[in-house]
Amino acid sequence: MTELKRRPLPHDFHPPVASFTVTSKDIEEGATLQDAQVHAAGNTSPQLRWEGFPPETKSFAVTCYDPDAPTGSGFWHWVLFDIPASVTELPVGAGGGTFEGLPQGAIHARNDYGDKEFAGAAPPPGDGPHRYVFTVYAVDQEKLGPDADASPAVVGFNLRFRTIGRAQLIGEYEVPAEG
């Protein structure tokens, strides 16, 4: 196991909550991400579908986080919240471009590139495999609180106290060393 694999996931230190299921036609647990989810190739948010969340869920949030980024604080690729509780699926591409299929009222906070959309995998060449943790959060209120100008840390802080259920799907991506 490499040093990268020992880095904690974003919610390892949060209180335990109910778990539910998230699936994707585009991401297979533990497998390499498709080119569509790579920043330099497709930069397209994946299809995600979730079920089995707590019945008292009032909204959802979706994030994509790389805990293995060589930053000391990981890297947030996608931060989306205030997804209505009636929505249980995001189609391919809902996180960028024309935002087709993005539910009305959902808010994109900025990712660590500084954009308010999905940003695909982009690990440094030769840095080894990075994990991309796609998490769906069941939230106990319709509006999480932050606005679109919030940092991923502020959204995460609010999710820490408002999450009642969580589902995750992890894909990997690596760029070989140059030369």
Side-chain angles (χ1 to χ4, degrees):
M1 186 173 277
T2 67
E3 187 69 26
L4 291 175
K5 298 299 179 189
R6 288 191 282 264
R7 293 185 181 163
L9 297 177
H11 36 73
D12 283 351
F13 303 105
H14 289 185
V17 294
S19 64
F20 57 99
T21 303
V22 60
T23 58
S24 177
K25 297 175 185 173
D26 304 306
I27 301 170
E28 183 179 330
E29 179 68 31
T32 300
L33 294 177
Q34 297 179 27
D35 284 347
Q37 281 74 57
V38 175
H39 196 267
N43 209 37
T44 303
S45 63
Q47 177 269 348
L48 297 172
R49 184 177 186 282
W50 51 91
E51 62 187 5
F53 48 87
E56 60 273 19
T57 300
K58 301 275 197 269
S59 68
F60 296 100
V62 173
T63 63
C64 177
Y65 175 74
D66 173 3
D68 304 316
T71 64
S73 61
F75 198 92
W76 291 97
H77 287 261
W78 196 13
V79 182
L80 178 65
F81 59 96
D82 289 356
I83 300 168
S86 60
V87 174
T88 58
E89 182 172 3
L90 293 175
V92 169
T98 62
F99 299 102
E100 188 171 335
L102 185 68
Q104 187 171 5
I107 297 174
H108 268 110
R110 64 180 168 80
N111 57 40
D112 280 339
Y113 286 104
D115 301 322
K116 294 177 183 174
E117 62 183 344
F118 173 80
D127 202 45
H130 285 218
R131 294 166 294 165
Y132 294 86
V133 183
F134 290 84
T135 305
V136 179
Y137 301 83
V139 180
D140 68 356
Q141 54 192 31
E142 288 181 17
K143 301 293 180 187
L144 187 59
D147 62 21
D149 292 324
S151 69
V154 168
V155 175
F157 175 84
N158 283 273
L159 285 171
R160 156 65 172 81
F161 295 100
R162 307 310 316 186
T163 296
I164 57 174
R166 188 171 34 242
Q168 74 178 19
L169 185 59
I170 302 174
E172 293 191 2
Y173 192 73
E174 176 176 10
V175 175
E178 296 172 354

